[in-house]
Amino acid sequence: MRAGGASALAAVDEAAAALGLHPGMTLATARAIRPDLAVHEADPTADRALLSALADRAERWTPLVGLDGDDALLLDITGAAHLFGGERNVIEDAVSRFGRLGFSVRAAVAGTAAAARAVAECGGGGIVPPGGEAEAVAGLPIAALRLDAATQGGLLHLGLRTVADLALRPRAPLVARFGRAPLERLDLLRGLARAPISPRRAPPACIAERRFAEPIGRQEDVRRTILVLAADLARILERRGEGARALELVFFRADGAMRSVAVETGRPLREPSGVLRLFAERLDALADPVDPGFGFDVIRLCALAVEAFSEIAVRLDRGPDFEAELSALIDRLAARFGSRRVLRPAARDTHLPERAAPFLPAQHGNAALAADWTIFAPEADAAPPRPIRLMDPPERIEVLAEVPDGPPIRFRLRRVLHAVVRAEGPERIAPEWWRAPEGTPTRDYFRVEDADGRRFWLFRDGLYGRETDRPHWYLHGVFA
Amino acid sequence: MERSRHAPGSMGTASQDHLQELRRKIAAVGADGRARELAPEEKTARIPLGHAEADRALGGGPARGALHAVLPAAYGDEPAACGFAALAAMRLAGDRPIVWVRQDMAVREFGEIHAPGLAGLGLDPSRLTLVAAADARDVLRAGEEALRCAALGAVIVEPWGDPKALDLTALRRLVLAAEGSGVPALLLRSGGRGGPDAAATRWSVAAAPSRAEAGLGLGPPAFLATLERNRQIGGTGEPGSWMLEWNHERRRFEPATHSGARLPDAGDRPAEAEGAVVRLRA
């Protein structure tokens, strides 16, 4: 770390701390104490990435993991600790797992995140019994409040060295001098106020998980576990009258590594075999397969998004429900190829052909069902008004027209010359002034047929004489 | 519950028709409310294209649970082949959904499928699901997966060019999937010239000029469709070549009438009266 022109220590390990080195000390001073000090350039970005990777691994204890500052993880283990045989085991497991990775960690459990952090950071860690926060933090130094340097200095100047010193002071004068921050922090630490942790990811709607004393790794064991988890999840969802629209499967390896895969559905889903089928597709399609290593010891299935579930009513007047099976097929295809590759057409209220009918992910609502497509029907004994394939972007062509604003007589497309036998047009399509930049030309579209019966949708970009003197021509689509 | 007071015989024809329609729909619903799987004879049923002579050559029309290959006759006939495949799929699909799997490369070469254009041919885009596949392998894989879904009416499988992945094994897999579910597979060979063949029918399709009497305007879509391979009748059916025109109102193919004299009803026209097919191009 570089501060005020001189290099300073950003962090020290235990051995260095034992020598009296501390963060903020200049490098020169540190070198004077220990000339052979091993120094590495601080890299906050890498630190952040590392902390984030550790947070992934911490998800084995709870899906609610938040980052706190540059050096702490906050885990909300409410209701989760019993799965590990109590809070004590969670702490021991965390310390030993991170220890094996080469990190020395201090861990604490308390009723509020702030108290847990203070006890871990300044009090050596441990478990604070319910309601015991005020007592547990009383003896901690003022630094445990994590106030800015000026406020902390001011409090120390008043002779307030510990949290208890501050707690015993009348509040009004403190607020007058230092603002609300110190007392708000104090209340959080003493368990009198709560600030929820902000998890890195949105908390799932519901979860099901299995822990294995003997890690599993065989494909059939994993599949069976997914099916069991899906059945657990289905029971929860059924009770709530819901189905899942997005699901995530999280694998925790015995060596601590974590990997997650997600799938989406087009309709609320809870049928276990359907869930298994989606994940089977997804797992099979991964370019970088999930590697069990020496086995998974935790597998968790989360419903990330849920929606009210309605039993599919059989409408005899409408015949069988093709949509239900189509929807399941769409989910499987999307699980394998990605939801952006399984599409349905939507109709937009615009004259611009390239914007009129975009394909949108089929799982995100069915825009096509509501659209009125009949406006594109041809007149009797005529060609359809719109092409069957649309070029994006339109392809530049060379055109010979009889008169500059008339239909084309000949045009060259990809080096082939086409003689126009029939032409219809122009159909004038003006740019949408509220969307297009000033000066975007008006297009005149022509439907033309060449001597072989091939049909093209061409347009002249710009009105001759008014917008341009040498208009360009483009191929925008082809007709059947 | 009150019983119906109407004796069966007193029903009007309109309600009789309605009842028939309801019976048909109920018959299509399985015990679980989903689309019932087709009976074996339905899976192999022939669905007429509408063009009497072509249907006769096929023994009634293309078979439902089978693979039908559609190739452009020459470079530049891709749009015609595409239109023919889409319309054939629509004939075969009835009122069921259609899945179209196409390779990204086909879009770069001659454009994305345009829903308003399909609507203009009479194919309701709300029945269409598009799978955008990155390469030929994905096209085949997605096509096969879709073909196994018995609720579908047809699957259009559109790889680009003559990819290596489109070998005999891949084609046989499509055939098996189509035969198993009874869902017709249309293999649209955009940019393709040939290669292995396992299809029940293989069509080579070229664009055909609009009808003469349409004046200077463009008439309904017309195709010169050549049935190059026909395995539908006892393995060795007759090939043939026909001028087809799409009738938007009746949603079917009809003989194209390029003589200039429009016939009163193309469907009633005796097949023998159709003249020899002439390629209208150099």
Side-chain angles (χ1 to χ4, degrees), chain A residues 317 325 332 336 341 343-345 359 376 378 381 383 387-390 414 422 424 449 452 454-455 479, chain B residues 34-35 77 104 109 111-114 117 120 126 130 132 141 145 158 209-211 215-219 281:
Chain A
D317 55 333
E325 272 159 89
R332 288 198 299 277
R336 178 172 284 278
R341 289 195 163 272
L343 310 162
R344 291 188 106 171
F359 279 100
F376 299 109
D381 282 349
I388 190 170
R389 309 284 287 227
L390 196 74
R414 298 181 192 176
R422 297 156 191 264
E424 279 179 26
E449 185 174 310
D452 291 334
R454 292 169 180 166
R455 292 132 178 244
F479 293 93
Chain B
R34 299 192 158 183
D77 282 321
D104 289 348
E109 287 291 328
E112 180 63 284
I113 295 148
H114 193 46
S126 60
L130 177 76
R141 193 179 278 191
E145 175 79 28
E158 184 189 7
S210 287
R211 267 191 236 145
L216 272 180
L218 278 65
R281 71 183 52 187

Side-chain angles (χ1 to χ4, degrees), chain A residues 71-419:
Chain A
D71 55 357
L73 296 176
L74 292 176
L75 278 61
D76 185 345
I77 55 167
T78 314
H82 72 274
L83 296 170
F84 302 90
E87 292 161 352
R88 172 70 52 199
N89 288 349
V90 175
I91 286 193
E92 281 169 7
D93 195 25
V95 171
S96 91
R97 280 184 180 276
F98 287 129
R100 263 178 279 159
L101 293 173
F103 295 94
S104 67
V105 298
R106 277 171 297 178
V109 177
T112 67
R117 160 131 204 180
V119 171
E121 195 171 15
C122 309
I127 293 173
V128 179
E133 286 79 15
E135 199 184 317
V137 299
L140 300 182
I142 279 294
L145 290 172
R146 302 177 68 219
L147 299 163
D148 60 86
T151 312
Q152 187 174 324
L155 292 170
L156 287 171
H157 191 72
L158 288 178
L160 305 174
R161 310 219 158 267
T162 66
V163 173
D165 291 347
L166 183 66
L168 293 170
R169 278 293 184 113
R171 296 174 78 104
L174 284 171
V175 172
R177 178 152 177 200
F178 298 106
R180 303 207 57 83
L183 293 171
E184 279 170 6
R185 295 287 311 162
L186 180 68
D187 288 348
L188 288 172
L189 247 61
R190 303 179 77 216
L192 302 174
R194 300 182 145 269
I197 74 163
S198 29
R200 298 184 304 152
R201 306 189 295 142
C206 53
I207 64 172
E209 66 180 35
R210 281 287 185 280
R211 296 171 179 280
F212 308 99
E214 282 294 316
I216 63 164
R218 290 191 315 157
Q219 206 184 349
E220 54 267 40
D221 291 342
V222 171
R223 285 175 71 97
R224 201 173 307 128
T225 306
I226 297 174
L227 199 58
V228 168
L229 291 173
D232 288 354
L233 206 63
R235 272 190 290 278
I236 304 172
L237 290 168
E238 199 167 348
R239 229 174 8 247
R240 304 188 345 190
E242 292 172 336
R245 287 290 309 271
L247 291 153
E248 185 185 43
L249 194 57
V250 195
F251 299 93
F252 296 93
R253 262 167 33 178
D255 63 5
M258 173 266 213
R259 178 82 186 268
S260 69
V261 290
V263 297
E264 286 176 81
T265 68
R267 289 178 166 201
L269 171 74
R270 63 187 185 211
E271 189 199 357
S273 62
V275 172
L276 173 63
R277 213 164 155 191
L278 287 188
F279 278 111
E281 284 287 342
R282 187 83 198 91
L283 291 170
D284 193 32
L286 288 176
D288 166 26
V290 175
D291 173 16
F294 293 108
F296 304 114
D297 61 350
V298 183
I299 299 179
R300 176 186 297 147
L301 179 64
C302 311
L304 297 179
V306 294
E307 220 174 78
F309 187 91
S310 55
E311 297 287 345
I312 295 154
V314 184
R315 295 276 312 268
L316 290 181
D317 55 333
R318 284 173 44 194
D321 187 8
F322 301 130
E323 280 289 325
E325 272 159 89
L326 178 62
S327 181
L329 172 69
I330 286 170
D331 289 346
R332 288 198 299 277
L333 291 169
R336 178 172 284 278
F337 301 106
S339 61
R340 288 169 55 210
R341 289 195 163 272
V342 187
L343 310 162
R344 291 188 106 171
R348 292 266 169 78
D349 189 17
T350 170
H351 295 296
L352 278 185
E354 58 267 45
R355 305 178 74 102
F359 279 100
L360 302 177
Q363 289 179 315
H364 306 162
N366 289 329
L369 302 179
D372 176 21
W373 298 100
T374 56
I375 55 167
F376 299 109
E379 289 168 28
D381 282 349
R386 289 289 179 265
I388 190 170
R389 309 284 287 227
L390 196 74
M391 308 295 299
D392 182 27
E395 195 167 323
R396 183 78 187 276
I397 51 171
E398 286 170 50
V399 161
L400 178 66
E402 216 156 45
V403 285
D405 57 349
I409 358 180
R410 268 199 300 277
F411 66 95
R412 191 182 293 278
L413 168 66
R414 298 181 192 176
R415 291 200 287 269
V416 181
L417 194 65
H418 298 267

